[in-house]
Amino acid sequence: KDDDIILDFFSGSATTAHAVMQLNAEDGGQRKFIMVQLPEKTDEKSEAYKAGYKNICEIGKERIRRAGEKIANEIDESNKQLELGAEPKPYPDLGFRVLRIDSSNFKDFYLTPGETSQESLFDFADNVKEGRSELDLLFEVLPKLGIPYSAKIEERMLAGKKVFFVDGDKLAACFDANVGSDTIEEMAKAKPWYAVIRDSSMADDATHANYEELFRTYSPDTAPQVI
């Protein structure tokens, strides 16, 4: 149907994604695809390997990009030959996101007293593993709140700090450093369904203490969380 989600657990070179995009372009459908593929290595003697595609996933991503470009070019050509008064053909959604399965972004702090030393307590000052980005944190939060990975993500600057707004105002999330009450107040005034902030992001104890109170004041229906 024209609004189906098509799932392919063995997507290979992403033939299914190409077909879905093409069909949307032909009939104006709003179908979405989910492609799943293990990163199987390409043969070192193959043309794909020599062209820089070290695994099958890389081939699939490139095919989706090229399919999108081809569809856009075809629509451009078609719109150049419109009859007088005809409406130009719209572009389907040609975007896609690539997600890779990994361990949690958060350190495992479930230790017994005997497993903990005085020195190791300093490791607990930040509960996020090294090398993890803001988007890594955001995408770990999304499924826990029932928000699809395909949701629109917008970045806004609130009192000098970057805040992610997801699926409209469904989620407001901030992972910047030294976030003060002024930023949290602006987040609350946006009245999101959910608000998420990183524990180590808060500038001081006063910000910690005021976090939930600011939401109770400006947006009592918001569910604020700290990660």
Side-chain angles (χ1 to χ4, degrees):
K1 299 177 182 178
D2 62 6
D3 60 351
D4 275 346
I5 298 175
I6 296 87
L7 171 64
D8 188 345
F9 269 118
F10 304 94
S11 63
S13 64
T15 308
T16 301
H18 189 166
V20 170
M21 294 165 70
Q22 187 66 48
L23 189 55
N24 282 341
E26 291 173 4
D27 66 7
Q30 300 291 322
R31 303 169 190 84
K32 297 179 180 180
F33 58 80
I34 300 173
M35 302 288 103
V36 182
Q37 177 60 50
L38 293 173
E40 298 175 19
K41 294 182 179 179
T42 50
D43 189 327
E44 294 186 9
K45 298 179 181 178
S46 68
E47 292 301 319
Y49 185 90
K50 294 175 183 176
Y53 306 112
K54 306 305 182 185
N55 61 59
I56 294 177
C57 297
E58 296 300 321
I59 297 173
K61 288 188 284 184
E62 183 62 20
R63 178 174 188 161
I64 297 173
R65 292 189 192 100
R66 294 190 186 190
E69 291 174 4
K70 182 174 182 292
I71 290 169
N73 290 335
E74 289 173 349
I75 291 174
D76 286 341
E77 288 300 317
S78 175
N79 287 340
K80 288 178 182 178
Q81 304 173 27
L82 287 177
E83 296 181 1
L84 187 62
E87 290 289 327
K89 187 175 182 180
Y91 295 95
D93 183 355
L94 302 174
F96 68 104
R97 287 180 176 149
V98 179
L99 302 176
R100 184 178 59 217
I101 295 175
D102 205 334
S103 61
S104 171
N105 296 297
F106 301 99
K107 298 174 184 176
D108 183 3
F109 288 155
Y110 294 99
L111 303 175
T112 65
E115 296 174 306
T116 307
S117 65
Q118 185 70 32
E119 292 76 15
S120 68
L121 292 176
F122 291 104
D123 295 334
F124 301 165
D126 190 346
N127 64 339
V128 176
K129 295 176 182 176
E130 292 183 7
R132 302 302 174 97
S133 70
E134 295 173 330
L135 286 176
D136 289 331
L137 297 177
L138 182 63
F139 274 84
E140 181 162 352
V141 167
L142 294 184
K144 295 176 180 178
L145 300 178
I147 300 174
Y149 287 133
S150 57
K152 182 179 179 181
I153 299 173
E154 176 189 358
E155 294 181 12
R156 303 181 199 169
M157 297 300 294
L158 300 183
K161 301 299 181 182
K162 180 167 61 177
V163 179
F164 294 100
F165 281 84
V166 184
D167 202 7
D169 290 334
K170 186 170 287 186
L171 167 65
C174 184
F175 308 115
D176 272 5
N178 296 313
V179 176
S181 295
D182 50 353
T183 297
I184 295 172
E185 181 177 324
E186 292 301 314
M187 290 171 64
K189 287 179 178 178
K191 300 186 183 302
W193 294 16
Y194 304 101
V196 173
I197 190 169
R198 185 173 167 178
D199 182 64
S200 60
S201 290
M202 297 199 204
D204 47 40
D205 290 341
T207 305
H208 269 281
N210 291 333
Y211 177 60
E212 292 189 4
E213 185 60 37
L214 285 168
F215 280 97
R216 278 195 289 268
T217 300
Y218 294 102
S219 185
D221 293 331
T222 297
Q225 299 183 17
V226 178
I227 61 172

